[in-house]
Amino acid sequence: MKSIRIGYCITGSFCTFEKSINALEKLVKDGYDVQVIMSENAYNTDTRFGTSKSFIKRIITITNKDIIHTISKAEPIGPKKLFDIIVVAPCTGNTLAKLNLGITDTAVTMAVKSHIRNNRPVLIGVSTNDALGAAAKNIGSLMNYKNYYFIPYSPDDPINKPKSLICEFDKIEQSIKNLTE
């Protein structure tokens, strides 16, 4: 069996970075060929959840690859058919809107645009506080587009954040298998 090539995109839902990086690490340990792509904000922003340098160092240690974090480095993904699947986890409400509207202004949106032109699957892991609010229309639209798929998701705090949803990061690998086998 040939190794499945995954473009693993991370956008700025900083509170979920730990879960996302743990899922990334499991994919690599399970033998997937994984290349990380980060939005510029995810790559450059320090938050109360950690510094960008610490996340970058950990990701590079896990994958043994540099991170794609610019539009120009992401553009060749489609023409060179670099990946069998792209995973966007976490995928913020901002990124959902950009994907829905075809806006290409980050390394992640360029990676998806470049990849999907070859009719290859994009797997989205929603992580946004407005999923059941302003972002709901973008989720619904993307569900109707060819080659966009969603990792199962659920409310992360229905009492205090009633419009918030988060993907089930532990279901990323099975979701990939469902789309590539």
Side-chain angles (χ1 to χ4, degrees):
M1 175 180 123
K2 80 173 182 93
S3 180
I4 295 171
R5 300 167 302 153
I6 301 169
Y8 194 95
C9 299
I10 300 174
T11 66
S13 178
F14 302 101
C15 62
T16 63
F17 275 21
E18 191 65 33
K19 290 178 182 181
S20 182
I21 294 171
N22 288 341
L24 163 70
E25 187 169 34
K26 183 172 182 338
L27 291 171
V28 172
K29 283 182 179 177
D30 289 348
Y32 293 91
D33 179 10
V34 184
Q35 170 67 60
V36 173
I37 302 126
M38 293 179 81
S39 69
E40 290 79 346
N41 283 336
Y43 188 84
N44 290 306
T45 305
D46 295 337
T47 72
R48 65 187 171 106
F49 301 103
T51 66
S52 60
K53 285 183 181 179
S54 66
F55 289 122
I56 291 165
K57 181 179 178 183
R58 185 166 168 214
I59 290 166
I60 291 172
T61 299
I62 291 166
T63 63
N64 200 30
K65 296 178 184 177
D66 287 333
I67 298 167
I68 295 172
H69 64 281
T70 65
I71 291 172
S72 61
K73 295 285 187 189
E75 187 278 329
I77 288 169
K80 292 184 179 181
K81 297 183 179 176
L82 296 180
F83 307 121
D84 300 306
I85 187 168
I86 282 190
V87 176
V88 185
C91 185
T92 62
N94 188 45
T95 300
L96 287 166
K98 290 176 180 185
L99 294 175
N100 182 41
L101 297 172
I103 297 169
T104 306
D105 65 351
T106 71
V108 169
T109 56
M110 174 55 82
V112 171
K113 174 190 174 246
S114 186
H115 173 81
I116 207 159
R117 76 183 207 169
N118 296 313
N119 287 318
R120 293 182 176 203
V122 174
L123 183 60
I124 296 174
V126 172
S127 181
T128 178
N129 288 327
D130 70 343
L132 298 175
K137 62 185 169 196
N138 296 314
I139 293 169
S141 290
L142 288 169
M143 284 183 171
N144 283 296
Y145 292 162
K146 184 177 180 182
N147 296 316
Y148 281 94
Y149 303 91
F150 285 78
I151 299 162
Y153 52 82
S154 60
D156 63 327
D157 185 355
I159 302 302
N160 296 310
K161 300 188 300 182
K163 295 181 180 183
S164 183
L165 293 175
I166 186 171
C167 77
E168 298 176 26
F169 286 93
D170 61 336
K171 293 191 176 165
I172 290 176
E173 186 171 1
Q174 186 59 53
S175 298
I176 291 168
K177 288 179 181 178
N178 291 346
L179 295 170
T180 58
E181 291 183 349

